[in-house]
Amino acid sequence: MADAPPKGMEGAPAMDSVPPEASLTAAKEARKRAELDAQLLANRIALLKQEEEKAWKKIEETRKRASEIMELRKQNQDKFQAK
């Protein structure tokens, strides 16, 4: 039984069939891809936060303008009723 794979490793490739350089290279490439994906996600999140800030600023400007319009309307109505 010296040639049998360790328990739980029956379906795995034999360790000496894959050169260590290949698995190390694959691991490095996977790490680079993961780091790139993480950076792309961070950039996307930053862009979405900027867009959200712009949207909130526009909402606040719109509310302020609506308030100004309502105040002017009220003043005009008061002037009209005073005549």
Side-chain angles (χ1 to χ4, degrees):
M1 289 283 289
D3 292 339
K7 187 173 182 168
M9 299 289 290
E10 293 85 6
M15 293 300 261
D16 46 325
S17 68
V18 178
E21 300 85 27
S23 63
L24 183 60
T25 302
K28 284 182 180 179
E29 288 175 3
R31 180 177 178 203
K32 282 184 181 180
R33 280 193 306 271
E35 288 175 352
L36 178 62
D37 287 346
Q39 186 60 50
L40 290 171
L41 286 171
N43 291 346
R44 181 67 178 146
I45 290 169
L47 180 64
L48 289 170
K49 285 182 179 179
Q50 288 176 349
E51 290 177 1
E52 180 184 24
E53 287 299 316
K54 283 172 57 176
W56 280 114
K57 185 176 179 181
K58 192 165 186 172
I59 289 168
E60 287 302 315
E61 289 174 358
T62 301
R63 286 181 179 160
K64 182 180 175 186
R65 182 68 180 137
S67 178
E68 291 171 357
I69 290 170
M70 294 299 287
E71 183 61 31
L72 285 171
R73 228 180 238 173
K74 183 178 181 296
Q75 289 175 4
N76 287 341
Q77 188 177 20
D78 290 346
K79 283 181 188 177
F80 183 72
Q81 287 178 351
K83 287 184 182 181

